[in-house]
Amino acid sequence: MKLTDHLPSAPDPDVLLDAFTTWTTGQGIELYPAQEEALMEVVTGANVILSTPTGSGKSLVATGAHFTALADGKRSYYTAPIKALVSEKFFALVDVFGAENVGMMTGDSSVNADAPIICCTAEILANLALRDGEQADVGQVVMDEFHFYAEPERGWAWQVPLLELPQAQFVLMSATLGDVARFEKDLVARTGRSTAVVSSAERPIPLTFRYALTPLHETIEELLGGNQAPVYVVYFNQASAMEQAQGLMSVNVASREQRNKIAEAIGDFRFTAGFGKTLSRLVRHGIGVHHAGMLPKYRRLVEQLAQAGLLKIICGTDTLGVGINVPIRTVLLTGLTKYDGVRTRHLKAREFHQIAGRAGRAGYDTAGYVVVQAPEHVIENEKALAKAGEDPKKRRKVVRKQAPEGFVSWSEKTFDKLVEAEPEPLVSSFQVSHSMLLNVINRPGDAFAAMKHLLTENHEDRPAQRRHILRAIAIYRALLAADVVEQLDEPDEQGRRVRLTVDLQFDFALNQPLSPFALAAIELLDVDSPGYPLDVLSVIESTLDNPRQVLSAQQFKARGEAVAQMKADGIEYDERMELLEDVTYPKPLQDILEAAYEMYRKGHPWVAEHELSPKSVARDMFERAMNFVEFVNHYGLARSEGLVLRYLADVYKALRHTVPADAKTEELTDLIEWLGELVRQVDSSLLDEWERLRNPGAEPTADAAPVDEGPARVTQNKRAFRVQVRNALFRRVELAARRWTTPLGELDPEFGAEAWEEALDGYFAEYDEIGTDADARGPAMLMITEESRRWLVRQIFADPAGDHDWGISAEVDLAASDEEGAAVIRVQAVDQQ
């Protein structure tokens, strides 16, 4: 039964609370005291600041708040810091309230935007608040993970709704808020509503804390033997987490019976080469790995196996459990310091409690455990002292090992302080930007008064407010100079004394803020050029966020190749080092794009806040004719393959949404289809959910594949599969052009390197080179004969004479391709016809 079936005819507080608790009881849920207290305040219309530990049911309070707003006929908003959490909450609320009552806006997805309950990122709501102020149709705001208020780059989005939506009821939630007296007083003053602070240090599942002076593997074995698994071993970098997981393969983590259950649960799950094969070995041993660099399907597999109680140990970074209910009995921190991008420092109390709070989950455990490892040198010293026994002379002779140079150490006192410490008070991180001014100026009424309110009534101290005021004045003058805004002699019919001369889309400056520039840049390209599809791709890539690990790997590879070539050319070391400074990752169209950007910025000065970044990741993969696994292996990105795939998915979405229909040639459409299918075959969840958002309430059809069965057959999307076949064959053309017969032999073991060498000797006896430009890789150079179980293909070489008589004859095995998730090609001949 949907919660909406319990909506009362009149929004009386007592009736509302009774209706909601009737529903929770029917779901088998008994409210905790803090939940009940918060809901009692919510139904009376009060603001609520809910500060209770992880696992104490804050999501249920949020559901009760949306139920209350729905009964009152008010529109409610749920905000979260990341799109994945917004999407997860969207589907959860659809299950509770029905698809017709729930919408979502994240910047790159908008579903049922007129619904009475909206899930969105904090930036979307902030954008709405800036544009409409107290006239916005916002009756209630539930802000989850409110501690993001203090984030330096994004905290403004958590503050702006508090400043600009006095008509709304607020429910602010987090497990680590610290002292909230300031927020309580501020909300009462701004909204005129009473504000209740509901806090509780008492967890539904109590935690036990311990400082371990035993080596890590001994601590883990002790926890396994003491029925304190599953254990989450927390590292603050991905490499260490992976190294530890592999090091635990020697420990008897799971019994034969448990390993059989794991194998049964995994079934025919598709693990790709590289990291996938490593993960397969680990999970079958009862060990999981979890970090942001993994493919979503691998993280989901680890979560599902953990939820089924099949994994005893999970090694990962401190990101596990953000928005997911994974049963972890013990959190084992390998240290109390982390690198924050500038320096290595001790954990803050908020960070420590966020991580520790993942231990012990309601419905799974009756107790949770938090263990912190002492530094390695301290543990070794303790072992040496223990070996010396109680003899004072022997103990004095023990040579204590010192901490490594530059090591930021911690002690049991550090640990005890963090356990006892309250989370630090949240600090304001308000910011002024071009988009803020443009949104406020676009609002009906007096923009000067609205900006004055924002600049003087925010939570910053007075010196910071003065800096924001000076920045706002500078931005406004730049907008005037660029004729983006104009001042009016008399207020217009909506009370504006200043107005925009341009139109802003609703999600202005949120979803790829440089997308309008991309549209303008695409118009500069020659649609008849053979390189047009790849140039459009480069324009789109230049507007997306940088996948830094990928770009670093590309630069490292490029410099390695450059050094090898310079050595071969006899260039001396000092000159090589100087020349190497100019070698970077590929940046197609850099000069054209940067010149176009400078021109565009003169009329759109706000784009200066967003960096144009020419790069080639999707294009590089296409031009190298590589599939995903080959690309990851080529650049050594196994630990970051999730990042690579998310970037490729973003490129695909941007191509689909940004490039106008009249700019999409057949070849560009082929490329887009290829990229979408590549992403789906590696991990269909990244695009399947995106497509599913368009029809959230639809029931699956009878013949629909279960979610866990993976992507559709690779041959099903014929257009994308043809491009994949073309790329696979052109990969061979590029290698043949370099006469690299060893990798050709690896690609075609049945044909063999010797056969390739013999064939190429024949070709190069007649011609000096094999062309690899855009024309050489075009569809005219590939002939395909489609049969029911196979395709017969002929990839023609682009010889300098234009004879086009040499080429590769091959067979594409369709059934094997579906099984592999990629085109399976068997070369039959390389010859002259």
Side-chain angles (χ1 to χ4, degrees):
M1 180 179 284
K2 300 288 186 189
L3 181 50
T4 46
D5 296 332
H6 292 267
L7 280 171
S9 56
D12 177 79
D14 291 334
V15 174
L16 273 172
L17 186 60
D18 184 60
F20 186 73
T21 54
T22 298
W23 176 77
T24 57
T25 302
Q27 302 293 310
I29 301 170
E30 183 178 346
L31 297 178
Y32 297 127
Q35 289 176 309
E36 194 166 3
E37 181 184 351
L39 287 165
M40 287 174 65
E41 298 290 348
V42 167
V43 297
T44 63
N47 298 313
V48 174
I49 302 174
L50 182 59
S51 180
T52 56
T54 302
S56 58
K58 289 184 284 292
S59 291
L60 192 63
V61 174
T63 302
H66 293 304
F67 177 72
T68 300
L70 197 60
D72 285 343
K74 294 179 179 176
R75 199 170 198 213
S76 59
Y77 281 75
Y78 168 90
T79 74
I82 58 176
K83 295 175 184 178
L85 286 184
V86 173
S87 176
E88 182 178 303
K89 189 66 176 181
F90 167 74
F91 288 117
L93 291 177
V94 164
D95 289 341
V96 173
F97 291 101
E100 70 280 5
N101 287 314
V102 187
M104 184 180 77
M105 290 182 281
T106 63
D108 66 3
S109 294
S110 181
V111 182
N112 199 17
D114 295 324
I117 301 171
I118 296 293
C119 301
C120 64
T121 53
E123 283 84 356
I124 287 285
L125 180 63
N127 188 51
L128 178 66
L130 288 169
R131 185 168 295 195
D132 295 335
E134 59 186 287
Q135 301 304 314
D137 183 14
V138 181
Q140 181 194 82
V141 175
V142 179
M143 302 189 86
D144 206 354
E145 308 291 347
F146 186 69
H147 57 274
F148 271 78
Y149 168 95
E151 285 288 306
E153 298 299 321
R154 301 181 61 203
W156 68 272
W158 274 259
Q159 184 171 162
V160 162
L162 305 181
L163 307 178
E164 295 296 292
L165 301 174
Q167 76 279 14
Q169 175 191 26
F170 285 91
V171 180
L172 312 180
M173 308 190 305
S174 172
T176 53
L177 287 178
D179 182 5
V180 295
R182 183 185 62 170
F183 293 104
E184 179 184 6
K185 182 179 178 181
D186 188 72
L187 281 173
V188 170
R190 292 182 190 277
T191 67
R193 299 171 185 264
S194 62
T195 299
V197 177
V198 180
S199 60
S200 172
E202 184 178 344
R203 289 173 49 96
I205 307 301
L207 291 182
T208 299
F209 294 87
R210 179 164 70 89
Y211 191 70
L213 289 164
T214 50
L216 182 60
H217 68 277
E218 290 183 19
T219 305
I220 290 174
E221 289 178 353
E222 182 184 338
L223 293 171
L224 291 173
N227 195 31
Q228 294 180 30
V231 181
Y232 190 68
V233 187
V234 180
Y235 284 89
F236 293 96
N237 65 77
Q238 297 172 7
S240 296
M242 190 64 200
E243 184 181 328
Q244 180 59 50
Q246 291 177 300
L248 289 170
M249 287 289 286
S250 59
V251 178
N252 188 19
V253 174
S255 66
R256 168 56 61 188
E257 181 184 355
Q258 289 167 333
R259 290 199 292 270
N260 289 341
K261 288 182 178 178
I262 292 170
E264 184 181 344
I266 291 173
D268 57 358
F269 182 93
R270 185 192 291 170
F271 292 95
T272 53
F275 175 79
K277 300 302 182 187
T278 302
L279 181 65
S280 177
R281 290 194 299 271
L282 289 169
V283 294
R284 293 175 195 280
H285 198 73
I287 301 167
V289 180
H290 197 286
H291 59 69
M294 293 167 61
L295 294 178
K297 69 176 182 181
Y298 292 152
R299 291 205 309 274
R300 193 169 59 253
L301 174 68
V302 170
E303 291 159 11
Q304 289 170 345
L305 292 175
Q307 286 165 345
L310 296 174
L311 297 182
K312 299 295 184 183
I313 299 172
I314 305 172
C315 299
T317 57
D318 57 333
T319 56
L320 180 77
V322 179
I324 54 174
N325 187 25
V326 176
I328 296 166
R329 188 164 296 165
T330 301
V331 168
L332 171 56
L333 288 97
T334 57
L336 292 176
T337 61
K338 68 181 293 185
Y339 181 70
D340 62 7
V342 178
R343 61 189 177 90
T344 299
R345 56 166 176 80
H346 287 125
L347 294 181
K348 297 177 182 177
R350 171 170 292 105
E351 293 167 330
F352 175 78
H353 288 292
Q354 281 283 345
I355 301 165
R358 301 298 167 192
R361 304 295 287 182
Y364 295 95
D365 302 309
T366 56
Y369 305 90
V370 179
V371 181
V372 172
Q373 282 290 117
E376 286 185 14
H377 68 279
V378 173
I379 293 172
E380 290 187 28
N381 290 338
E382 287 295 318
K383 283 181 68 177
L385 288 170
K387 189 175 181 180
E390 299 300 323
D391 187 334
K393 291 182 179 179
K394 289 183 178 180
R395 292 176 70 88
R396 280 198 298 270
K397 289 181 180 179
V398 171
V399 178
R400 286 173 171 78
K401 189 171 183 178
Q402 300 300 309
E405 187 176 350
F407 181 76
V408 178
S409 193
W410 65 91
S411 66
E412 193 164 3
K413 286 184 179 179
T414 314
F415 168 66
D416 291 337
K417 284 181 181 178
L418 286 171
V419 171
E420 297 298 326
E422 289 291 321
E424 299 83 3
L426 296 173
V427 178
S428 171
S429 52
F430 186 80
Q431 291 182 5
V432 176
S433 64
H434 283 80
S435 60
M436 177 179 285
L437 261 73
L438 288 167
N439 276 317
V440 172
I441 290 170
N442 204 40
R443 181 195 304 182
D446 187 344
F448 293 107
M451 274 308 300
K452 181 181 178 182
H453 173 264
L454 261 175
L455 294 168
T456 59
E457 296 297 319
N458 58 58
H459 299 161
E460 303 276 283
D461 60 26
R462 194 60 190 147
Q465 286 184 347
R466 281 195 286 269
R467 289 195 298 272
H468 295 319
I469 290 169
L470 291 174
R471 174 161 170 75
I473 292 171
I475 291 172
Y476 178 69
R477 287 173 175 166
L479 293 173
L480 275 176
D483 294 325
V484 176
V485 300
E486 60 181 2
Q487 290 186 205
L488 304 176
D489 295 331
E490 297 290 335
D492 66 11
E493 64 278 4
Q494 292 185 305
R496 293 189 181 97
R497 294 161 54 196
V498 60
R499 67 184 177 194
L500 299 182
T501 61
V502 296
D503 292 327
L504 301 180
Q505 71 272 22
F506 174 78
D507 56 358
F508 166 71
L510 289 174
N511 177 31
Q512 307 311 341
L514 293 179
S515 291
F517 163 75
L519 285 174
I522 288 170
E523 293 180 359
L524 301 176
L525 302 176
D526 179 6
V527 73
D528 296 320
S529 166
Y532 173 77
L534 290 176
D535 288 345
V536 171
L537 177 57
S538 290
V539 170
I540 294 298
E541 287 201 70
S542 74
T543 66
L544 301 179
D545 292 338
N546 284 342
R548 297 197 180 279
Q549 290 94 321
V550 183
L551 303 186
S552 295
Q554 286 180 318
Q555 178 169 287
F556 180 80
K557 192 83 170 178
R559 288 185 171 181
E561 292 170 354
V563 166
Q565 185 60 53
M566 285 188 276
K567 283 182 177 178
D569 294 341
I571 298 175
E572 294 298 322
Y573 175 81
D574 289 341
E575 187 180 354
R576 289 203 307 265
M577 292 302 99
E578 186 176 336
L579 291 171
L580 210 56
E581 290 298 314
D582 297 327
V583 179
T584 183
Y585 53 85
K587 298 179 180 180
L589 306 185
Q590 181 179 12
D591 292 342
I592 295 172
L593 286 170
E594 288 180 352
Y597 177 72
E598 287 303 312
M599 289 294 295
Y600 186 82
R601 193 170 66 175
K602 291 178 181 178
H604 308 79
W606 61 86
V607 302
E609 294 171 0
H610 307 285
E611 182 184 0
L612 185 76
S613 179
K615 52 187 169 292
S616 176
V617 178
R619 177 169 181 158
D620 188 29
M621 181 182 291
F622 189 89
E623 287 186 316
R624 290 181 185 274
M626 288 180 171
N627 60 33
F628 182 79
V629 173
E630 290 169 338
F631 185 82
V632 166
N633 290 341
H634 179 73
Y635 286 113
L637 291 164
R639 283 205 306 271
S640 302
E641 60 183 8
L643 170 78
V644 178
L645 194 68
R646 282 192 294 276
Y647 174 81
L648 294 175
D650 287 343
V651 176
Y652 171 70
K653 293 176 187 178
L655 285 167
R656 283 273 306 271
H657 279 290
T658 304
V659 182
D662 58 3
K664 290 179 180 175
T665 62
E666 285 293 309
E667 291 78 11
L668 178 56
T669 303
D670 283 347
L671 187 152
I672 295 171
E673 287 294 312
W674 162 79
L675 183 57
E677 194 60 31
L678 180 146
V679 173
R680 283 192 185 91
Q681 290 299 322
V682 176
D683 191 334
S684 61
S685 65
L686 278 173
L687 296 183
D688 287 350
E689 182 174 284
W690 184 58
E691 301 289 357
R692 180 188 165 201
L693 291 172
R694 302 172 186 277
N695 194 10
E699 294 294 329
T701 58
D703 58 349
V707 174
D708 292 339
E709 285 198 5
R713 293 179 293 112
V714 70
T715 60
Q716 193 169 307
N717 184 339
K718 187 179 290 187
R719 184 169 202 158
F721 186 63
R722 287 177 72 95
V723 179
Q724 194 176 123
V725 169
R726 188 196 315 164
N727 281 357
L729 285 163
F730 196 72
R731 172 78 173 142
R732 290 160 170 82
V733 171
E734 290 188 311
L735 293 172
R738 294 172 171 82
R739 302 194 71 165
W740 288 354
T741 55
T742 299
L744 281 167
E746 292 170 357
L747 276 176
D748 303 308
E750 294 179 18
F751 188 68
E754 289 185 11
W756 266 108
E757 188 167 353
E758 184 180 341
L760 291 177
D761 283 344
Y763 175 87
F764 283 107
E766 294 189 40
Y767 304 108
D768 293 333
E769 61 181 6
I770 298 176
T772 57
D773 60 10
D775 287 328
R777 76 179 306 144
M781 303 296 280
L782 178 66
M783 297 181 292
I784 298 178
T785 303
E786 297 183 15
E787 297 182 0
S788 60
R789 300 173 65 88
R790 64 175 187 167
W791 288 359
L792 298 177
V793 295
R794 176 76 176 172
Q795 173 67 55
I796 300 167
F797 289 163
D799 59 81
D803 295 332
H804 296 169
D805 52 352
W806 277 81
I808 305 168
S809 295
E811 173 189 89
V812 182
D813 187 326
L814 301 185
S817 297
D818 283 332
E819 186 175 338
E820 185 73 20
V824 174
I825 293 172
R826 299 187 178 96
V827 171
Q828 297 172 322
V830 180
D831 57 10
Q832 191 175 29
Q833 290 186 1

